[in-house]
Amino acid sequence: MNKNNNAFAWLFQRVTAVFLILFLGIHAAIKFGGVTIQLNTWSLFFVDVCLLFFGLYHALNGIYSVAQDYRVGGKGRRIIFWALICIGCVMTIFGGISLFSFFSVAA
């Protein structure tokens, strides 16, 4: 990765942290009867989708940053990068399926 990508990753790590705090606060502050009732509205569904995407990016970028601290070589860094991309895709699919199943049950 070049210097611009590292600067973007560093900045977006901080931005996602702020949004995670915001969306987690909104998510925790709303006290309805249950999870299915929460997901019944599009605005709360949007909050949960944002939590999924921002949380995954924040976590996986953090893991990648730790791997960079160990001074892994170029090939090892690419392997770690693509492994985290695959993990992120799988977790996004699983998270999306569970969010949409709750939303369809509640609707």
Side-chain angles (χ1 to χ4, degrees):
M1 295 180 92
N2 62 24
K3 193 172 186 175
N4 289 335
N5 286 343
N6 288 336
F8 172 77
W10 179 88
L11 178 65
F12 205 59
Q13 185 77 1
R14 274 67 185 169
V15 170
T16 56
V18 170
F19 280 116
L20 280 172
I21 292 169
L22 174 72
F23 286 130
L24 192 58
I26 293 169
H27 178 81
I30 297 173
K31 306 263 183 185
F32 285 116
V35 174
T36 55
I37 295 172
Q38 286 183 0
L39 289 175
N40 197 14
T41 62
W42 281 101
S43 59
L44 297 175
F45 181 74
F46 175 75
V47 167
D48 286 342
V49 169
C50 286
L51 274 172
L52 174 67
F53 286 118
F54 288 140
L56 276 174
Y57 177 84
H58 191 81
L60 296 175
N61 187 47
I63 292 169
Y64 185 71
S65 296
V66 169
Q68 284 181 334
D69 287 343
Y70 283 104
R71 307 244 186 252
V72 178
K75 185 176 182 180
R77 188 175 287 185
R78 283 190 299 276
I79 290 171
I80 292 170
F81 175 80
W82 287 108
L84 290 174
I85 292 291
C86 291
I87 291 169
C89 289
V90 168
M91 296 305 291
T92 300
I93 291 169
F94 283 145
I97 289 171
S98 62
L99 284 175
F100 278 108
S101 67
F102 273 119
F103 190 73
S104 64
V105 166

